[in-house]
Amino acid sequence: MLLNRRTLVAVTLAGLVLTISGSAKAGEKKDIVDTAIAAGQFKTLAAALQAADLVDALKGKGPFTVFAPTDDAFSKLPEGTIAGLLKPESKGALAGILTYHVVSGAVDSGKVVKLSNATTLNGQRVDITVQDGGVMVDNAKVVTTDIHCSNGIIHVIDSVILPKSETIPATAVKAGTFKTLVAAVKTAGLLDALSGDKPLTVFAPTDEAFGRLPEGTVANLLKPENIDQLQRILLYHVVEGRVYSDQALKVKNASSL
């Protein structure tokens, strides 16, 4: 329903009601949230923003660039996924997914095609590639570009993109080439420290790298009486924050934990 001075929009999804009020003067651009709702194809996204308490953030000054999944994009997720994410206990996970779709700044299509990646508000990066004349953001195709809003830009994508959710130890175990490192982390009591929410960068030695140490070194370090020394060695391989390879090449040194 459109009024001369105020807009009142309600979106209902899985029992969740989203009500948003804002100015709607003739010729005035709407913010990202109101623009998405008015488009009519982002009902799931709007409901998710409400459930994650991100509506006010994306109605803020910005500017932001949102890679916005349509309702059809959300429908591609496994059955029950959306309903599960909209539950109060999933608020943190939902916020992590939604902020993975948002980049700080107004990045129009002309800038997007020149990027190989972009850091999201989630803290992780999305990969950006140009394929067959189209643009891919991770595994999602950009289907509509440059929807300009009062506080940023919306690019429409055809799939929901998901941030990495596995912890550093879990990723190391899955890789299969860090068995010694994983064993050392467990022995040193650092498993919880490397599995927390705090972003870290690990310069991880492979099993082959550990194999280059003098014979008996690893076995000796894994002894209970040498745990303090083992901890110091392992933490020397860890830096606070997410440091990507291109960033690492630009720094001369870094402080370890």
Side-chain angles (χ1 to χ4, degrees):
M1 179 168 61
L2 179 64
L3 304 178
N4 288 333
R5 292 187 178 277
R6 294 186 67 80
T7 301
L8 184 64
V9 183
V11 177
T12 303
L13 178 70
L16 180 68
V17 178
L18 167 64
T19 304
I20 296 175
S21 300
S23 62
K25 296 179 181 179
E28 191 176 81
K29 287 181 182 177
K30 299 176 182 179
D31 61 47
I32 287 170
V33 176
D34 288 344
T35 299
I37 290 175
Q41 59 177 334
F42 302 106
K43 295 181 178 65
T44 310
L45 177 60
L49 290 172
Q50 173 77 350
D53 283 341
L54 291 175
V55 170
D56 288 343
L58 287 184
K59 289 175 73 68
K61 184 177 179 180
F64 305 107
T65 297
V66 179
F67 296 100
T70 61
D71 294 332
D72 286 341
F74 275 100
S75 70
K76 294 178 183 179
L77 293 173
E79 186 176 353
T81 301
I82 297 171
L85 286 171
L86 292 176
K87 292 179 179 178
E89 59 267 29
S90 301
K91 181 179 175 180
L94 179 60
I97 292 171
L98 294 175
T99 53
Y100 189 62
H101 290 75
V102 185
V103 174
S104 181
V107 188
D108 61 25
S109 58
K111 295 177 182 176
V112 169
V113 296
K114 297 176 182 178
L115 298 174
S116 59
N117 57 66
T119 301
T120 68
L121 297 190
N122 168 286
Q124 298 185 40
R125 282 183 173 183
V126 291
D127 292 323
I128 298 174
T129 56
V130 178
Q131 299 178 10
D132 301 323
V135 176
M136 300 292 294
V137 180
D138 283 354
N139 64 330
K141 184 177 182 179
V142 178
V143 294
T144 304
T145 63
D146 296 337
I147 301 174
H148 290 270
C149 311
S150 64
N151 62 341
I153 297 174
I154 295 174
H155 302 300
V156 183
I157 55 177
D158 68 352
S159 299
V160 177
I161 54 177
L162 299 173
K164 299 293 187 297
S165 58
E166 291 183 333
T167 63
I168 289 172
T171 301
V173 170
K174 189 174 180 179
T177 55
F178 302 103
K179 294 182 178 66
T180 307
L181 176 61
V182 171
V185 166
K186 290 179 179 178
T187 299
L190 295 176
L191 195 60
D192 289 343
L194 295 181
S195 299
D197 295 331
K198 187 177 182 179
L200 301 169
T201 298
V202 178
F203 296 93
T206 61
D207 294 331
E208 184 179 354
F210 274 103
R212 294 173 186 164
L213 293 173
E215 187 176 351
T217 300
V218 173
N220 190 54
L221 286 171
L222 293 176
K223 292 178 179 179
E225 61 268 27
N226 293 323
I227 285 180
D228 288 346
Q229 183 183 6
L230 179 61
Q231 286 179 341
R232 289 195 298 272
I233 292 172
L234 293 175
L235 292 177
Y236 190 63
H237 292 76
V238 184
V239 174
E240 285 191 10
R242 289 186 177 91
V243 184
Y244 292 91
S245 58
D246 59 324
Q247 297 171 327
L249 289 173
K250 296 177 182 178
V251 297
K252 295 181 179 180
N253 55 65
S255 297
S256 67
L257 297 184

